[in-house]
Amino acid sequence: MSVSKDRIGAFLFLVFSCAYGIYAWQIPLLPTELGISVSASTLPKIYAVVGVVVSLLALAGSFLQQATRPQGSSGALALGRTALLLVLMVLYALMLDPFGFLLATEVFLLAGYLLMGEYRPKVLFWASVPVVVVFWLIMTRVLGIYLAPGTLWS
Amino acid sequence: MIEGMLTGLSAALSWQGILYVMMGCLVGTFIGMLPGLGPITAIALMIPVTYSIDPSYGMILMAGVYYGAIFGGSTSSILINAPGVAGTVATSFDGYPLARKGQAGKALALAAYASFSGGTLAAVFLMVAAPLLAKVSLSFWSADYFALMVMGLTAIAAFSNRGQFLKAVMMTLLGIMLATVGIDPSSGAERFTFGSSDLLDGISFLLVAMSIFALSEALSGVLRPDQKKDVAAPSSKMGDLRLSREEIKDVAPVIGRSSILGFLIGILPGAGATIASFLAYATERNLARGEKKKQFGQGSLRGLAAPETANNAACTGSFVPLLTLGIPGSGTTAVMLGALIAYGLQPGPLLMHDNPDVFWAVIMSMYVGNVVLLFLNLPMIPYIAKTLALPKPLLTVLILFFSLIGVYLVSFNTFDLYLMVGFAVLSLILRQLNFPMAPLILGFILGGMLESNFRRAMMIADGSIAFLWERPLTLCITLVSLALLLVPLMDFLRGLKRPAPEAELSDNL
């Protein structure tokens, strides 16, 4: 039996709806909500039930429906590159506070270009340094938005 | 009304108004031209910019980006047969053959004229329809609003591509569920915060929009390089930009018909520029006779004018439910609704009375936007086309940067960036599983309003669900919602024995 994308999607949504439902039933009722018809947990409970019903329907549909042709998987290189870009975004978030906008962004852009296969020094320079500096100038000098220089230096 | 129109006109024709329209049209054209990036991405990227300016100008800017993106999508459709936007797929059917015949200039010029005519005629219809609908909707109660919200949500699911109905419903539900995170505004109870103070205010709309559209769109291009057409060098032979008198006579009725059709389809919640352009193309092909019919698909001017007119008219039409009922007609207007709410404005019948400056500025800016698109972009077509050669690796990283920093500059909280990465991963997985993204953002935006109207209606009805059928108006809307849900559900049940469809259009509803 082949596992279709529809089936995986429906199963994931079923799991999510169940987890959402468990938390929905744990939403505490405040004293002000006692005796009223609709509390803070009413609609989340309804959403969870509807979510379970819809995902079960989709799951049943995917079993009844003829299996779809297996679709070509993405190349390992593309997958690795995407994962590295995601890691780079997390690193950027980690770097922003200690290193400040200028350095963190410069590192993010350079590392991003290199990850995407751009190695020409001229392009790397022109597509990162002026972009960061001009953006920083617009933000701080034109729009008056304060960008912290980084806790590491201050 | 006249006073409101004059207020709107003064905002749209002020130097800031014209500047923002020009900026929006240019940025939208550029982003719309890049395959894979649609108007939703273009608008999502501009939201942080609009936060720092007046709401009227913010909406003018976003409306300009919207038209620009649709126009830009046509440019890449015609020149390199790679529609930047789902709404311009039909444009490539005859636009690209024209470019291959060495008539790229004529095709681009006709696309510009058709867009201008469709957008301008639809703006006239909007000016008449919006105030009328706003007046009618003033008599709406909470129960009617709740029913309307349900209708808006079911409609987008019902209009989803074949085989995607349940997926669209699941995505809508996911969006509604995400909207429940944070402190409940009615009771003050904490919901789904897991003890994190960062989630007390809920998840920001900008964060969700940027993650599921801009971030995941850019990352999808990296993940599936074989499935996305690489940005190719545009055709060097532009040819003459002029149209002959016979050609103008030939396409004029097409533009008239497609404007009306596009506008009416645009009003329907869920049916956006994509459906309008395909329907207009099909209508014109069916109406054509003899030699004219044979030309469709081979470089027909009628075949190019119809979808180009209809998609712009539909964009304008989708503003009707947004401005008058507070219900977005498409994924793109859903993002704009979120932006309006972020401004502290409540789109709906009261918008025209409480904020006539914003209401009329948006409508009036549509005329200016269409003129700008025509006169600014037409002479610049050869130069704009050259930007299609921008290296994709640089563009991808820059989109990631602008998305991240756009959210960070609003909250200055790095937790939002981690959350963005999480949402990007989630939407990448969902995209791989062929889930449409537009219903998610629609559910997320309408979720809060749905709940507050439901609670208010229940309170008025003393806890009875009978409010759904007690008033004829509510009953009508409820029945329409039910019909919208039941029709595709029956289709789904009937189609269980058929093989599942493989190819699906993008989610630019």
Side-chain angles (χ1 to χ4, degrees):
Chain A
M1 188 191 297
S2 70
V3 181
S4 72
K5 286 185 172 186
D6 291 359
R7 206 168 298 165
I8 299 169
F11 179 72
L12 287 177
F13 192 69
L14 177 67
V15 173
F16 177 81
S17 299
C18 289
Y20 181 87
I22 291 168
Y23 280 106
W25 257 272
Q26 290 172 1
I27 294 171
L29 268 185
L30 297 177
T32 49
E33 290 186 297
L34 292 171
I36 63 165
S37 52
V38 186
S39 70
S41 66
T42 310
L43 278 175
K45 284 175 189 168
I46 295 172
Y47 297 153
V49 172
V50 177
V52 169
V53 171
V54 171
S55 48
L56 282 175
L57 200 62
L59 211 51
S62 75
F63 276 105
L64 287 170
Q65 205 162 31
Q66 289 168 32
T68 54
R69 277 185 287 115
Q71 297 184 7
S73 59
S74 305
L77 176 71
L79 197 65
R81 192 174 273 175
T82 312
L84 283 173
L85 281 173
L86 286 163
V87 172
L88 184 63
M89 287 194 277
V90 174
L91 288 176
Y92 180 54
L94 280 170
M95 285 189 299
L96 258 172
D97 281 342
F99 293 106
F101 172 81
L102 280 171
L103 188 61
T105 308
E106 191 57 53
V107 172
F108 173 80
L109 288 180
L110 280 175
Y113 297 149
L114 288 169
L115 270 177
M116 291 296 290
E118 180 59 70
Y119 302 114
R120 289 170 293 177
K122 240 184 193 174
V123 177
L124 286 174
F125 174 82
W126 286 110
S128 59
V129 179
V131 172
V132 177
V133 174
V134 169
F135 190 84
W136 181 80
L137 283 172
I138 292 172
M139 287 297 131
T140 54
R141 300 285 182 263
V142 181
L143 297 174
I145 296 169
Y146 175 71
L147 287 169
T151 50
L152 218 60
W153 334 112
S154 55
Chain B
M1 188 171 148
I2 302 289
E3 199 180 318
M5 283 165 68
L6 289 174
T7 312
L9 204 63
S10 67
L13 290 177
S14 65
W15 69 267
Q16 295 105 318
I18 292 171
L19 186 76
Y20 285 124
V21 163
M22 283 171 72
M23 193 172 130
C25 288
L26 277 175
V27 171
T29 304
F30 175 67
I31 297 177
M33 266 195 314
L34 304 167
L37 299 179
I40 302 185
T41 313
I43 291 176
L45 282 169
M46 293 309 287
I47 291 171
V49 179
T50 61
Y51 278 0
S52 56
I53 55 179
D54 183 83
S56 308
Y57 298 130
M59 290 309 290
I60 286 173
L61 176 72
M62 281 193 276
V65 171
Y66 194 5
Y67 304 128
I70 296 287
F71 180 80
S74 317
T75 308
S76 54
S77 282
I78 292 166
L79 290 178
I80 57 172
N81 199 22
V85 185
T88 59
V89 170
T91 305
S92 64
F93 297 166
D94 284 291
Y96 186 59
L98 276 168
R100 290 190 68 180
K101 285 182 193 169
Q103 295 181 316
K106 184 179 277 186
L108 288 166
L110 178 59
Y113 296 136
S115 298
F116 169 77
S117 313
T120 309
L121 283 173
V124 176
F125 302 148
L126 173 71
M127 212 167 71
V128 178
L132 285 177
L133 199 58
K135 210 173 262 180
V136 171
S137 56
L138 269 176
S139 58
F140 280 23
W141 292 11
S142 296
D144 306 320
Y145 274 111
F146 170 73
L148 265 176
M149 302 289 159
V150 175
M151 193 177 91
L153 291 169
T154 53
I156 202 150
F159 281 100
S160 57
N161 303 309
R162 197 185 146 255
Q164 280 208 311
F165 167 64
L166 281 184
K167 284 184 173 178
V169 175
M170 283 189 261
M171 284 293 93
T172 310
L173 273 170
L174 180 62
I176 296 174
M177 288 171 176
L178 289 174
T180 57
V181 175
I183 292 179
D184 172 35
S186 304
S187 65
E190 272 185 44
R191 301 192 296 187
F192 309 102
T193 57
F194 308 104
S196 164
S197 58
D198 291 305
L199 287 173
L200 285 178
D201 284 339
I203 302 166
S204 117
F205 146 77
L206 177 66
L207 188 155
V208 178
M210 287 288 214
S211 313
I212 69 166
F213 293 114
L215 272 188
S216 77
E217 197 88 67
L219 289 170
S220 292
V222 181
L223 195 58
R224 296 190 293 181
D226 51 322
Q227 291 182 21
K228 298 250 177 196
K229 283 182 184 174
D230 266 332
V231 178
S235 167
S236 54
K237 262 179 88 179
M238 292 299 290
D240 197 355
L241 266 78
R242 281 173 298 184
L243 288 160
S244 68
R245 191 170 285 181
E246 285 74 34
E247 286 168 339
I248 294 169
K249 259 187 186 169
D250 190 34
V251 295
V254 176
I255 287 174
R257 282 192 293 268
S258 303
S259 297
I260 299 167
L261 184 76
F263 179 76
L264 292 176
I265 291 169
I267 292 177
L268 294 174
T274 312
I275 295 170
S277 61
F278 277 105
L279 264 179
Y281 186 84
T283 307
E284 288 309 320
R285 195 177 49 187
N286 289 335
L287 286 175
R289 293 280 170 266
E291 202 55 39
K292 295 275 180 202
K293 190 164 192 160
K294 282 183 193 162
Q295 282 176 2
F296 273 77
Q298 313 290 324
S300 160
L301 290 181
R302 286 182 176 207
L304 173 64
E308 261 313 290
T309 310
N311 62 25
N312 265 57
C315 288
T316 307
S318 66
F319 278 87
V320 175
L322 174 76
L323 293 173
T324 58
L325 301 172
I327 292 176
S330 64
T332 315
T333 42
V335 178
M336 292 173 91
L337 171 68
L340 271 170
I341 295 168
Y343 271 131
L345 303 171
Q346 186 55 57
L350 290 175
L351 182 72
M352 191 182 154
H353 296 269
D354 295 346
N355 302 91
D357 48 335
V358 177
F359 183 88
W360 287 107
V362 174
I363 294 178
M364 291 302 164
S365 76
M366 285 174 185
Y367 296 106
V368 184
N370 282 305
V371 174
V372 166
L373 266 183
L374 187 70
F375 290 102
L376 194 74
N377 284 358
L378 204 57
M380 283 177 68
I381 283 169
Y383 309 102
I384 292 171
K386 279 191 180 140
T387 57
L388 282 170
L390 196 84
K392 197 178 168 185
L394 302 184
L395 194 74
T396 305
V397 180
L398 285 174
I399 290 171
L400 297 183
F401 161 64
F402 284 119
S403 309
L404 291 170
I405 207 68
V407 171
Y408 178 75
L409 287 176
V410 172
S411 66
F412 288 97
N413 185 357
T414 47
F415 174 81
D416 283 358
L417 301 188
Y418 302 127
L419 208 56
M420 278 183 87
V421 176
F423 273 115
V425 173
L426 176 76
S427 47
L428 269 178
I429 295 169
L430 291 170
R431 276 170 194 268
Q432 289 294 302
L433 297 171
N434 294 335
F435 276 87
M437 289 293 126
L440 192 154
I441 198 77
L442 192 82
F444 183 76
I445 290 165
L446 291 186
M449 287 189 267
L450 183 87
E451 187 169 3
S452 58
N453 281 301
F454 177 73
R455 291 169 100 162
R456 213 173 297 140
M458 284 287 276
M459 207 183 289
I460 294 167
D462 280 334
S464 164
I465 196 82
F467 70 81
L468 281 173
W469 54 82
E470 273 177 345
R471 290 179 76 219
L473 181 64
T474 326
L475 179 67
C476 275
I477 305 171
T478 309
L479 287 176
V480 172
S481 309
L482 273 175
L484 284 170
L485 257 186
L486 284 177
V487 171
L489 192 66
M490 297 303 283
D491 188 46
F492 168 78
L493 292 172
R494 270 200 302 269
L496 283 179
K497 295 286 171 203
R498 290 197 297 263
E502 281 294 313
E504 277 144 22
L505 273 170
S506 94
D507 53 34
N508 280 318
L509 273 168

